[in-house]
Each structure stands twice: as structure tokens, then as C-alpha cells.
Amino acid sequence: MRINLRPFFLIITAFVTAYAAAEPAAAPEAAANASDFIRTSCGTTQYPDLCYQSLYGYANAVQQDPARLAAVAVGVSLSRATFMSIYVANLTRQADYGVAEPRAASALRDCFSVFRDAVGQIRGSLKQMRRLSGAGEELRFQMSNVQTWMSAALTNEDTCTDGFDGVSDSQLKADVCDRTVEVKEVTSNALALVNSFVDKVVVP
């Protein structure tokens, strides 16, 4: 039985676009400035082209606010990780019925487990970003939580591909690892933008 992805996408989309609903449509000049802000901010990430491609559509929501940019980036990361978790869950069910070799099936189960953890960590990060308050020590503590959870999520995503090291090469292995790398890159970019926000706004 395959899981219907549509309800999950609707939930994630609601998270990512929540800011946009509260903002009036930006004037052309403001929209251009917001797009430039995103491009410049993405230049600090490890995968700048992917960063801009995945975030420029939210320029109206982000405007030129580094906190909003970081939050939207975390939301996009949550969307990608959630999709991957569901995708691996479906593959795991097939593998349990003998589609994959035993070692591949084991790697898939481990991959699903770590992605489930990653989704929880990224979701916690997004909730924290949406509830930021205060300044100084209070804000630094809140952002420290976000940094810790996003780093842990990235480590979990790494663990998925590591689990396939001893598995024979196959289309399944290549597909899962390639998709995981894409999610890792988005998560890495989100963490970089979170760190950038901390560096700019959270005074030591």
C-alpha cells in the first residue's frame, strides 16, 4: 500500500507560506530587492544555486528579513525531508516483500528511521523559528536549539547514505542515495542561513 503524499504536501506548504499570507503583494522594486537579498544570502551557503532556486519563489514572504529567510529555508528543508521519509517508507514495504536483497532492505529500514528523526528535528526547528521572542541570552538560547536540531537532522541524513556503503550497487541504491544527497544539500543550506542569521542578529 502506497502512502498518499498530498495531505503531507498541503501541511508543509501551509508551514512554508504562512508568512506570505500576512504580507501584502510587494511592489516590483521591493520584489526585485527581495530577490537580490535572497541571492546574496544564498551566496554564503555551500550550494548557492540550489539555495536560490528553492527560495526565490518566497521573495514576497521573505522581503529582506534574515529571520524570515532562515525560517522559510527550514520549511523547505522540512518539505524535502518529509517527502524523502515517505518515499523510503514505501520502498521499505516493497523490500520487506522481497523486492530488495536483505542488506538493502536493512539499509532502507535504517534510512527510514533516521529520516523520521530528521523530520522531527527540522519540524522542531521550524516551530522554534516561528516563535522567536526576546533578545540577548533568550534569543541566543532559542537559536542554539535551532542550530542543534538542524545539525542533528543533517547528521541523520548523512547516516542514511552511510548505511548503503556495504550494499551492492543497484538502481535502488543509486536512487535512494541520489535523492538523499539532494535533501542533505537543502538542509545544509537551511543550516547555513540559520547560522548567518545568528551571526547578524544574535549579539554575543
Side-chain angles (χ1 to χ4, degrees), residues 154-191:
L154 189 56
T155 297
N156 275 318
E157 291 165 5
D158 271 325
T159 301
C160 174
T161 51
D162 290 345
F164 280 89
D165 284 347
V167 176
S168 301
D169 290 339
S170 65
Q171 184 59 47
L172 182 146
K173 175 181 177 178
D175 191 43
V176 172
C177 289
D178 288 348
R179 288 171 181 262
T180 300
V181 167
E182 292 175 2
V183 179
K184 285 162 53 178
E185 291 177 353
V186 171
T187 302
S188 171
N189 285 341
L191 177 57

Coordinates of all heavy atoms in Angstrom, one line a residue, residues 154-191:
L154 N 20.9 17.0 9.7 CA 21.9 16.8 8.7 C 22.7 15.5 8.9 O 23.0 14.8 8.0 CB 22.8 18.0 8.6 CG 23.8 18.1 7.4 CD1 23.0 18.0 6.1 CD2 24.6 19.4 7.4
T155 N 23.1 15.3 10.2 CA 23.8 14.1 10.5 C 23.0 12.8 10.3 O 23.5 11.8 9.7 CB 24.2 14.1 12.0 OG1 25.1 15.2 12.2 CG2 24.9 12.8 12.4
N156 N 21.7 12.9 10.6 CA 20.8 11.8 10.3 C 20.7 11.5 8.8 O 20.7 10.3 8.4 CB 19.4 12.0 10.9 CG 19.3 11.6 12.4 OD1 19.8 10.6 12.8 ND2 18.7 12.5 13.2
E157 N 20.6 12.5 8.0 CA 20.5 12.3 6.6 C 21.8 11.7 6.0 O 21.8 10.9 5.1 CB 20.2 13.7 5.9 CG 18.8 14.2 6.2 CD 18.6 15.7 5.9 OE1 19.5 16.3 5.4 OE2 17.5 16.2 6.2
D158 N 23.0 12.1 6.6 CA 24.2 11.5 6.3 C 24.2 10.0 6.6 O 24.8 9.2 5.8 CB 25.4 12.2 7.0 CG 25.9 13.4 6.3 OD1 26.0 13.4 5.0 OD2 26.4 14.3 6.9
T159 N 23.6 9.7 7.7 CA 23.6 8.3 8.2 C 22.9 7.4 7.2 O 23.2 6.2 7.0 CB 22.9 8.2 9.6 OG1 23.7 9.0 10.5 CG2 22.9 6.8 10.0
C160 N 21.8 8.0 6.5 CA 21.1 7.2 5.5 C 22.0 6.7 4.4 O 22.0 5.5 4.1 CB 20.0 8.0 4.9 SG 19.1 7.2 3.6
T161 N 22.8 7.6 3.8 CA 23.7 7.2 2.7 C 24.8 6.3 3.2 O 25.2 5.4 2.6 CB 24.3 8.4 2.0 OG1 24.8 9.3 3.0 CG2 23.2 9.1 1.2
D162 N 25.3 6.5 4.5 CA 26.3 5.7 5.0 C 25.9 4.3 5.2 O 26.7 3.3 5.0 CB 26.7 6.2 6.4 CG 27.5 7.5 6.4 OD1 28.0 7.9 5.3 OD2 27.6 8.2 7.4
G163 N 24.6 4.1 5.4 CA 24.1 2.7 5.6 C 24.1 1.9 4.3 O 24.0 0.6 4.4
F164 N 24.3 2.5 3.2 CA 24.3 1.8 1.9 C 25.7 1.5 1.5 O 25.9 0.9 0.4 CB 23.6 2.6 0.8 CG 22.1 2.5 0.9 CD1 21.4 3.4 1.6 CD2 21.5 1.5 0.1 CE1 20.0 3.3 1.7 CE2 20.1 1.4 0.2 CZ 19.3 2.3 0.9
D165 N 26.7 1.8 2.3 CA 28.1 1.6 1.9 C 28.4 0.1 1.6 O 29.2 -0.2 0.7 CB 29.1 2.1 3.0 CG 29.2 3.6 3.0 OD1 28.7 4.2 2.0 OD2 29.7 4.2 4.0
G166 N 27.8 -0.8 2.4 CA 28.1 -2.2 2.1 C 27.1 -2.9 1.3 O 27.1 -4.2 1.2
V167 N 26.2 -2.1 0.6 CA 25.2 -2.7 -0.2 C 25.6 -2.7 -1.7 O 26.3 -1.8 -2.1 CB 23.9 -1.9 -0.1 CG1 22.8 -2.4 -1.1 CG2 23.4 -1.9 1.3
S168 N 25.4 -3.8 -2.3 CA 25.8 -4.0 -3.8 C 25.1 -2.8 -4.6 O 24.0 -2.4 -4.3 CB 25.3 -5.3 -4.3 OG 25.9 -6.4 -3.6
D169 N 25.9 -2.4 -5.6 CA 25.3 -1.3 -6.5 C 24.1 -1.8 -7.2 O 24.0 -2.9 -7.6 CB 26.4 -0.9 -7.5 CG 27.6 -0.2 -6.9 OD1 27.4 0.3 -5.8 OD2 28.6 -0.2 -7.5
S170 N 23.1 -0.9 -7.2 CA 21.8 -1.2 -7.9 C 21.1 0.1 -8.2 O 21.5 1.1 -7.7 CB 20.9 -2.1 -7.0 OG 20.6 -1.4 -5.8
Q171 N 20.1 0.0 -9.0 CA 19.3 1.2 -9.3 C 18.6 1.7 -8.0 O 18.5 2.9 -7.8 CB 18.2 0.9 -10.3 CG 17.4 2.1 -10.7 CD 18.3 3.2 -11.3 OE1 19.1 2.9 -12.2 NE2 18.1 4.4 -10.9
L172 N 18.2 0.8 -7.1 CA 17.6 1.2 -5.9 C 18.6 2.0 -5.0 O 18.2 3.1 -4.5 CB 17.0 0.0 -5.1 CG 16.3 0.3 -3.8 CD1 15.2 -0.7 -3.6 CD2 17.3 0.3 -2.6
K173 N 19.8 1.5 -4.9 CA 20.8 2.1 -4.0 C 21.1 3.5 -4.6 O 21.2 4.5 -3.9 CB 22.0 1.3 -4.0 CG 23.2 2.0 -3.3 CD 24.4 1.1 -3.3 CE 25.6 1.8 -2.6 NZ 26.8 0.9 -2.6
A174 N 21.3 3.6 -5.9 CA 21.7 4.8 -6.6 C 20.6 5.9 -6.4 O 20.8 7.1 -6.1 CB 22.0 4.6 -8.0
D175 N 19.3 5.4 -6.6 CA 18.2 6.3 -6.5 C 18.0 6.9 -5.1 O 17.9 8.1 -4.9 CB 16.9 5.6 -6.9 CG 15.7 6.5 -7.1 OD1 15.9 7.6 -7.7 OD2 14.6 6.2 -6.6
V176 N 18.1 6.0 -4.1 CA 17.9 6.5 -2.7 C 19.1 7.4 -2.3 O 18.9 8.5 -1.7 CB 17.9 5.3 -1.7 CG1 17.9 5.8 -0.3 CG2 16.6 4.5 -1.9
C177 N 20.3 7.1 -2.6 CA 21.4 7.9 -2.3 C 21.4 9.2 -3.0 O 21.7 10.3 -2.4 CB 22.7 7.1 -2.6 SG 23.1 5.8 -1.5
D178 N 21.1 9.2 -4.3 CA 21.0 10.5 -5.0 C 19.9 11.4 -4.4 O 20.1 12.6 -4.3 CB 20.7 10.2 -6.5 CG 21.9 9.6 -7.2 OD1 23.0 9.6 -6.7 OD2 21.7 9.1 -8.4
R179 N 18.8 10.9 -4.1 CA 17.7 11.7 -3.5 C 18.1 12.2 -2.2 O 17.7 13.3 -1.8 CB 16.4 10.8 -3.4 CG 15.7 10.5 -4.8 CD 14.6 9.5 -4.6 NE 13.9 9.2 -5.9 CZ 12.8 9.8 -6.3 NH1 12.2 10.7 -5.5 NH2 12.3 9.4 -7.4
T180 N 18.8 11.3 -1.4 CA 19.2 11.8 -0.1 C 20.2 12.9 -0.2 O 20.1 13.9 0.6 CB 19.8 10.6 0.7 OG1 18.8 9.5 0.8 CG2 20.3 11.0 2.1
V181 N 21.1 12.8 -1.1 CA 22.1 13.9 -1.3 C 21.4 15.2 -1.6 O 21.7 16.3 -1.0 CB 23.1 13.6 -2.4 CG1 23.9 14.8 -2.8 CG2 24.0 12.5 -2.0
E182 N 20.3 15.2 -2.4 CA 19.6 16.4 -2.7 C 19.0 17.0 -1.4 O 19.0 18.2 -1.2 CB 18.5 16.1 -3.7 CG 19.1 15.8 -5.1 CD 18.0 15.4 -6.1 OE1 16.8 15.4 -5.7 OE2 18.3 15.0 -7.2
V183 N 18.4 16.1 -0.6 CA 17.8 16.6 0.7 C 18.9 17.2 1.6 O 18.7 18.2 2.3 CB 17.0 15.5 1.4 CG1 16.4 16.0 2.7 CG2 15.9 14.9 0.5
K184 N 20.0 16.5 1.7 CA 21.1 16.9 2.5 C 21.6 18.3 2.1 O 21.9 19.2 2.9 CB 22.3 16.0 2.4 CG 22.1 14.7 3.2 CD 23.0 13.6 2.7 CE 24.5 14.0 2.8 NZ 25.4 12.8 2.4
E185 N 21.6 18.6 0.8 CA 22.1 19.9 0.3 C 21.1 21.0 0.7 O 21.5 22.1 1.1 CB 22.3 19.8 -1.2 CG 23.4 19.0 -1.6 CD 23.6 18.9 -3.2 OE1 22.7 19.4 -3.9 OE2 24.6 18.3 -3.6
V186 N 19.8 20.7 0.6 CA 18.8 21.7 1.1 C 18.9 21.9 2.6 O 18.8 23.1 3.0 CB 17.4 21.2 0.7 CG1 16.3 22.1 1.3 CG2 17.2 21.2 -0.8
T187 N 19.1 20.9 3.3 CA 19.2 21.0 4.8 C 20.5 21.8 5.1 O 20.5 22.6 6.0 CB 19.2 19.6 5.5 OG1 18.0 18.9 5.1 CG2 19.3 19.8 7.0
S188 N 21.6 21.5 4.4 CA 22.8 22.2 4.6 C 22.7 23.7 4.4 O 23.1 24.6 5.2 CB 23.9 21.7 3.7 OG 25.1 22.5 3.8
N189 N 22.0 24.0 3.3 CA 21.7 25.5 3.0 C 20.9 26.1 4.1 O 21.1 27.3 4.5 CB 21.0 25.6 1.7 CG 21.9 25.3 0.5 OD1 23.1 25.4 0.6 ND2 21.3 25.0 -0.7
A190 N 19.8 25.4 4.6 CA 19.0 26.0 5.6 C 19.8 26.2 6.9 O 19.7 27.3 7.5 CB 17.8 25.0 5.9
L191 N 20.7 25.3 7.2 CA 21.5 25.5 8.4 C 22.4 26.7 8.2 O 22.6 27.4 9.2 CB 22.3 24.2 8.7 CG 23.3 24.3 9.9 CD1 22.6 24.6 11.2 CD2 24.0 22.9 10.0

